[in-house]
């Protein structure tokens, strides 16, 4: 049996976020299409493009580890994305739809920020400077997306939902 050390945990978590990013990449166009707000739609479309780059960075990390880029089913992201689908169905054409989409998107962002922050800390501990740099780049993108979503919520979407 392989040793269950930090390296193994790092690889497992990397597989988890790789799977999550692939699922997020598939979900973002649906969320963009459902959004009534042009700003929100544009934010989803921009993040869709960023997510493609994030997946490529993860693949580079797998490559440096000499491991195949393979995801591991992530129940957490499945649940968060399912909540987003539920909101799209239950609030279709309702004034609160965009507020619900924003909330679902921020739940995704917070999950990603948590994962990338942890992976970055572990990569640093495991003396993987290239992985630290790649993970930090993605972490900063995720934080910026979260800030953008908060700004859209505060400036327009929440008031329109009320």
């Amino acid at each position: 049996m392989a040793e269950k050390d930090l390296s193994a945990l790092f690889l497992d978590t990397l597989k988890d976020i790789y799977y999550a990013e692939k699922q997020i990449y598939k979900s973002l166009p649906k969320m963009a299409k459902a959004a009534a707000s042009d700003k929100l739609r544009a934010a989803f479309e921009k993040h869709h493009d960023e997510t493609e780059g994030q997946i490529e960075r993860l693949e580079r990390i797998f490559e440096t580890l000499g491991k195949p880029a393979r995801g591991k089913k992530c129940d957490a992201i499945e649940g968060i994305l399912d909540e987003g689908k539920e909101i799209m169905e239950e609030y279709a054409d309702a004034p609160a739809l965009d507020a619900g989409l924003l909330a679902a998107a921020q739940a995704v962002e917070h999950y990603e920020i948590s994962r990338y922050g942890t992976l970055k800390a572990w990569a640093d501990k495991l003396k993987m400077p290239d992985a630290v740099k790649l993970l930090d780049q993605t972490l900063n993108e995720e934080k910026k997306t979260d800030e953008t979503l908060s700004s859209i919520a505060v400036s327009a979407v929440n008031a329109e939902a009320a």
Side-chain angles (χ1 to χ4, degrees):
M1 184 171 156
E3 193 173 340
K4 296 289 184 183
D5 58 7
L6 190 59
S7 291
L9 188 58
F10 178 84
L11 182 59
D12 266 355
T13 307
L14 197 65
K15 290 176 181 179
D16 175 276
I17 196 65
Y18 185 70
Y19 175 90
E21 290 290 12
K22 294 267 200 165
Q23 298 309 304
I24 293 162
Y25 186 76
K26 284 194 261 184
S27 295
L28 280 165
K30 295 171 193 155
M31 293 174 76
K33 187 177 177 191
S37 159
D38 291 338
K39 279 185 178 179
L40 183 56
R41 185 177 313 105
F44 287 153
E45 289 167 352
K46 179 180 185 242
H47 197 55
H48 184 255
D49 293 341
E50 284 177 345
T51 301
E52 194 170 5
Q54 294 168 354
I55 289 168
E56 288 168 9
R57 277 186 225 116
L58 290 170
E59 289 169 349
R60 286 172 39 202
I61 295 170
F62 278 111
E63 199 176 297
T64 63
L65 295 172
K67 302 286 183 187
R70 205 173 288 135
K72 174 181 166 187
K73 187 169 188 239
C74 172
D75 292 328
I77 206 65
E78 291 281 335
I80 293 169
L81 293 174
D82 282 348
E83 284 178 9
K85 285 180 205 160
E86 231 174 79
I87 289 166
M88 284 189 279
E89 290 166 11
E90 290 179 23
Y91 289 85
D93 302 320
L97 174 63
D98 282 355
L101 286 172
L102 263 163
Q106 285 194 284
V108 169
E109 291 310 309
H110 294 177
Y111 177 79
E112 291 177 299
I113 289 166
S114 169
R115 282 292 188 220
Y116 283 112
T118 297
L119 283 166
K120 179 184 162 191
W122 289 347
D124 186 51
K125 189 74 176 161
L126 294 167
K127 309 224 181 310
M128 302 165 66
D130 293 341
V132 169
K133 202 161 86 177
L134 293 167
L135 293 164
D136 188 55
Q137 192 177 349
T138 298
L139 180 60
N140 287 327
E141 284 177 358
E142 300 296 5
K143 287 178 179 177
K144 180 95 173 90
T145 297
D146 185 49
E147 288 169 15
T148 299
L149 292 171
S150 287
S151 172
I152 293 169
V154 170
S155 69
V157 170
N158 290 345
E160 289 166 19

